[in-house]
Amino acid sequence: MTALTLGLPGESVAADAPNPPVGTVTSAPTAFIRGTLQPDVPPAGANDWNCRPTAAHPRPVVLLHATYTNAHMNWSMLSPRLKRAGYCVFAPNYGGEPGVPFKATRHIPDSAREIARFVDRVLAATGARQVDLVGHSQGGGVLPRWYLRFEGGTNPAKPSRNKVRRLIGLAPSNHGATVSGLGTLTTELGLNPTVSLVAGQAYADQMVGSRVHTTLDRGGDTQPGVAYTVIATRYDEVVTPYTNQFLTPGPGATVRNITLQEVCPLDLSEHISIAYDSNALQLVLNALDPAHARPVHCRLSAPLIGG
């Protein structure tokens, strides 16, 4: 065991679903099964529209799931943990139809507009001035960055009026994916439009060199007034190479790029299981509240399972 403290400088289908009792799912396979059976039910602890932020945690946390998942699949470990820590937690489903388990497949700019409406609803309901975003894969990378830049998440002229203070990405698709070479092959063969007919437009949007990426990256990686944290794993098999996840700070923004194995050398989490890795989730909590960052007591985390 090692320990390290890192202090870091459309409406949702699930939005009105019943709020489950607070409980924790600790493995990715269990969450996948439950999220498949009840795809429109939010994870435990999320979407309490009567929640009011406290002085200790003044910003609600909005959790953005990955492609081909839903909020219940993605956040059944982190959401109740944040709730118990005193945060107001919200977890929308986006980019998919009600009743369909595998969401976040639509054109990313369209999904970004869904997130814009959801964040506005959270701010109105809670009375907060800003939110913090935590996302996985698409939900931690290209999607929220598009929202911040093009859909009103930030105000570059007056960063104090930004709707978002922090963006924390777990294995985020910031600069495109190659899916261990499969995406490179479909891109070079011109097959991405065909693949997207089955897999959804978000597949093509996230490939290296896509129009979404080139449009977004043209203005730099960051927006003024936002604190960015990237938590990547060397064993990522989707956003490859894993260094494509890292960001370069622009004016008025801060970035902390973290490789999970530099904190916990024996951590074997990859792209899927990182959302169920207690080591990575402690880094998320530290990024949300850097003034009270706690040591990461490194624990075993296995591929596809977490821990």
Side-chain angles (χ1 to χ4, degrees):
M1 297 288 187
T2 60
L4 178 67
T5 300
L6 287 179
L8 307 174
E11 299 293 344
S12 163
V13 172
D16 295 310
N19 187 43
V22 173
T24 302
V25 174
T26 57
S27 74
T30 301
F32 179 84
I33 293 169
R34 290 178 55 172
T36 301
L37 295 174
Q38 45 188 23
D40 299 324
V41 175
N47 297 352
D48 175 3
W49 294 97
N50 295 314
C51 186
R52 295 296 178 266
T54 64
H57 300 303
R59 293 182 300 275
V61 178
V62 177
L63 304 175
L64 302 177
H65 61 78
T67 314
Y68 310 132
T69 69
N70 57 56
H72 197 98
M73 283 184 192
N74 217 140
W75 302 121
S76 287
M77 186 171 177
L78 181 59
S79 176
R81 186 169 178 177
L82 290 172
K83 185 70 171 180
R84 286 195 297 270
Y87 289 91
C88 292
V89 186
F90 297 88
N93 282 322
Y94 68 90
E97 296 296 329
V100 176
F102 308 112
K103 304 179 192 291
T105 61
R106 292 178 181 156
H107 188 35
I108 285 173
D110 293 339
S111 292
R113 285 186 279 275
E114 287 188 61
I115 299 308
R117 293 192 292 270
F118 188 85
V119 169
D120 286 350
R121 183 181 176 189
V122 169
L123 293 174
T126 62
R129 190 175 62 84
Q130 293 180 310
V131 303
D132 291 331
L133 303 178
V134 178
H136 180 201
S137 192
Q138 178 191 158
V142 62
L143 169 73
R145 287 180 57 221
W146 190 282
Y147 159 61
L148 293 176
R149 176 156 294 163
F150 298 121
E151 298 299 337
T154 57
N155 185 335
K158 293 184 177 180
S160 62
R161 297 186 180 179
N162 288 353
K163 295 177 182 179
V164 174
R165 177 66 185 100
R166 300 183 186 279
L167 169 58
I168 302 162
L170 289 164
S173 58
N174 276 319
H175 294 300
T178 67
V179 197
S180 298
L182 176 62
T184 302
L185 180 63
T186 60
T187 298
E188 291 182 352
L189 294 178
L191 295 176
N192 286 346
T194 302
V195 173
S196 292
L197 291 175
V198 177
Q201 182 60 35
Y203 174 87
D205 287 348
Q206 290 180 92
M207 292 300 104
V208 171
S210 73
R211 182 174 297 180
V212 165
H213 276 297
T214 55
T215 301
L216 183 58
D217 293 346
R218 194 176 298 129
D221 287 355
T222 61
Q223 291 291 96
V226 179
Y228 297 80
T229 301
V230 172
I231 303 168
T233 170
R234 290 195 178 111
Y235 303 116
D236 200 302
E237 73 279 30
V238 176
V239 185
T240 50
Y242 75 91
T243 51
N244 276 7
Q245 300 169 34
F246 294 152
L247 297 171
T248 300
T254 63
V255 170
R256 184 66 182 268
N257 294 313
I258 302 171
T259 302
L260 187 54
Q261 287 73 29
E262 291 180 359
V263 181
C264 296
L266 300 182
D267 193 307
L268 299 179
S269 292
E270 36 60 66
H271 188 83
I272 295 171
S273 60
I274 195 171
Y276 286 85
D277 178 356
S278 61
N279 305 321
L281 298 191
Q282 184 59 55
L283 292 171
V284 171
L285 287 166
N286 290 351
L288 287 169
D289 189 6
H292 299 94
R294 299 177 62 183
V296 179
H297 296 287
C298 295
R299 299 174 180 175
L300 179 65
S301 188
L304 302 178
I305 296 173

